[in-house]
Amino acid sequence: QVQLVESGGGSVQAGGSLRLSCAASGRTFIGTAMGWFRQHPGKERETVAAISWNGGRTYYADSVKGRFTISRDNAKNTVYLQMNSLKPEDTAVYYCAADRRPYYSGQSSFEYWGQGTQVTVSS
């Protein structure tokens, strides 16, 4: 059974940092892109960041560029999201997902999703 399990969420004050981790089990995702997404209450899920199968290409939403960094450790089947200079508008449920493809090209090709982890940033 394929599972993606996020961890590292929590509450932090504005300007603080959090590091999210997503551990995959059940199969290896070495050949596929991975991504982090978030959903604010009442809004559609949006892409936060994505990373190609070998880490060579990354994508960031404009709202997080320069503050968030996505990385992966294929040996550990784990992807990370380092979040710095957090803002109240970063408050959301964050999801990890695995793509069918080796490079990010949009949400529609992501086939495996984690259960989500809450990130709350207070002002």
Side-chain angles (χ1 to χ4, degrees), residues 37 44-47 99 104-111 113:
F37 304 82
E44 292 188 354
R45 186 174 58 206
E46 62 177 356
T47 304
D99 204 341
Y104 172 71
S105 60
Q107 284 194 44
S108 62
S109 60
F110 281 78
E111 60 179 336
W113 293 83

Side-chain angles (χ1 to χ4, degrees), residues 7-49:
S7 61
S11 297
V12 65
Q13 289 192 327
S17 298
L18 285 173
R19 189 193 194 205
L20 304 184
S21 298
C22 172
S25 62
R27 56 157 283 187
T28 178
F29 292 102
I30 290 177
T32 67
M34 300 290 291
W36 286 97
F37 304 82
R38 68 186 181 187
Q39 189 165 21
H40 299 94
K43 295 189 176 181
E44 292 188 354
R45 186 174 58 206
E46 62 177 356
T47 304
V48 176

Side-chain angles (χ1 to χ4, degrees), residues 16 23 26 32 74 81 92 120:
T32 67
N74 284 341
L81 185 68
T120 302

Side-chain angles (χ1 to χ4, degrees), residues 82-98:
Q82 177 67 42
M83 305 187 294
N84 298 329
S85 303
L86 282 161
K87 304 175 181 180
E89 51 264 44
D90 294 318
T91 296
V93 178
Y94 284 71
Y95 299 89
C96 167

Side-chain angles (χ1 to χ4, degrees), residues 69-84:
T69 302
I70 188 170
S71 61
R72 65 189 295 164
D73 185 338
N74 284 341
K76 296 181 178 179
N77 226 15
T78 301
V79 62
Y80 306 96
L81 185 68
Q82 177 67 42
M83 305 187 294
N84 298 329

Side-chain angles (χ1 to χ4, degrees), residues 30-34 51-54 72 99-104:
I30 290 177
T32 67
M34 300 290 291
I51 188 166
S52 63
W53 69 278
N54 62 353
R72 65 189 295 164
D99 204 341
R100 294 185 182 91
R101 304 177 182 179
Y103 298 98
Y104 172 71

